[in-house]
Amino acid sequence: MNSKKEPIDQRDLWPVDGVSQTPPPSSAVVDQLHAMGYRALFVVTPIASDEDKHQDHLNNSAAVRMFNELRIAYVASRLSPDWPRHLRRENLIVVVRELHVEYQSEAQGSERFIGATRLSFRRGKSVLIEQALVEIESGRPVARAWVVQLLLGPTGVQDWPDFYWDLVAASEGAPLVELADSRPSWGPGSETS
C-alpha cells in the first residue's frame, strides 16, 4: 500500500464546520457589523453537536466552537495561502493564550447567524482578536469573544513576522494599533488594588 501523502500545501484551506465560504447577503445586519469595524463576515449554521441534549437551545460550548471555526475561516479567506504555508515551512503554531466569551442571548439550533471577526490590536508578542455572533435576520447579539493569540515556534513564543502584519493590514484596511507591552494581572489569584 502506498502511504505517500499529498503535499501539505494542497490541503483544503477551508476545513471549517458550519461556516459558509459565501459572504452573507447585503442587509442592515451586515451594514451594522461593517460600521462596527468588522470586515470578515460569514454565515454560520449550527451543527448537531451544538445542540443542548437537555434543553431546546445551543449548548455553552457552541459559541466557543463557532468562534474557533470563524478564526480559521478568517485565515483561509484573508491570509491564505501565504500565511498557512509560512506556518508549515517554519514549523510554527498559532495558539490561543486567552479566550473570553460574553453570552448575550439564547440561541436556537434552528437559527442561522452571521459571525464576524476582526484583529483589533497588537501588544508585545500577542494579537487581540474580537468576534461577534448575531442572528442573521434580526441582528440580535448572541455572543462576543475576545481572543489573545501568540505565535509559538520550536524555541517558544516568537515575534510575528512583518509580512503577517502586512497581510492583516490589507485584510483590516489599515495597520493594527500597537499597544505598550504591559497589562495588569486579573482573574483568580491575581492581586488587585
Side-chain angles (χ1 to χ4, degrees):
M1 175 187 257
N2 184 356
S3 63
K4 186 175 178 181
K5 293 183 180 179
E6 186 177 327
I8 199 161
D9 278 345
Q10 302 305 311
R11 288 191 315 191
D12 179 9
L13 291 176
W14 198 270
V16 295
D17 290 325
V19 177
S20 173
Q21 290 185 47
T22 306
S26 182
S27 70
V29 174
V30 167
D31 291 346
Q32 181 182 20
L33 289 165
H34 280 156
M36 295 168 63
Y38 289 103
R39 301 287 173 259
L41 305 178
F42 304 93
V43 175
V44 180
T45 303
I47 61 174
S49 63
D50 293 335
E51 297 276 347
D52 187 307
K53 293 179 184 1
H54 307 287
Q55 301 178 66
D56 188 25
H57 63 197
L58 298 183
N59 64 48
N60 291 331
S61 64
V64 174
R65 185 200 64 77
M66 290 175 189
F67 286 136
N68 187 67
E69 299 294 310
L70 287 164
R71 290 191 302 278
I72 295 168
Y74 182 97
V75 171
S77 68
R78 299 297 184 111
L79 309 180
S80 291
D82 296 339
W83 181 240
R85 287 180 177 163
H86 175 78
L87 292 173
R88 290 189 289 273
R89 251 192 331 267
E90 301 300 322
N91 195 25
L92 299 170
I93 301 170
V94 176
V95 296
V96 171
R97 171 76 160 74
E98 297 177 29
L99 169 64
H100 308 270
V101 176
E102 175 188 26
Y103 297 94
Q104 298 171 300
S105 68
E106 182 179 37
Q108 306 297 320
S110 60
E111 293 178 306
R112 290 187 332 138
F113 309 98
I114 295 179
T117 299
R118 69 176 173 212
L119 279 68
S120 296
F121 61 81
R122 330 167 27 175
R123 183 184 348 228
K125 294 182 179 182
S126 67
V127 59
L128 181 88
I129 299 171
E130 292 182 80
Q131 297 181 280
L133 192 65
V134 300
E135 196 277 324
I136 197 166
E137 298 296 328
S138 68
R140 182 186 83 250
V142 173
R144 293 175 39 189
W146 299 266
V147 182
V148 176
Q149 286 188 329
L150 300 172
L151 185 61
L152 190 62
T155 60
V157 176
Q158 299 187 352
D159 289 317
W160 300 81
D162 289 340
F163 94 92
Y164 172 77
W165 299 121
D166 294 341
L167 290 171
V168 169
S171 175
E172 297 297 328
L176 293 189
V177 172
E178 188 167 1
L179 302 178
D181 188 15
S182 65
R183 62 178 201 154
S185 297
W186 66 275
S190 66
E191 297 296 322
T192 59
S193 44

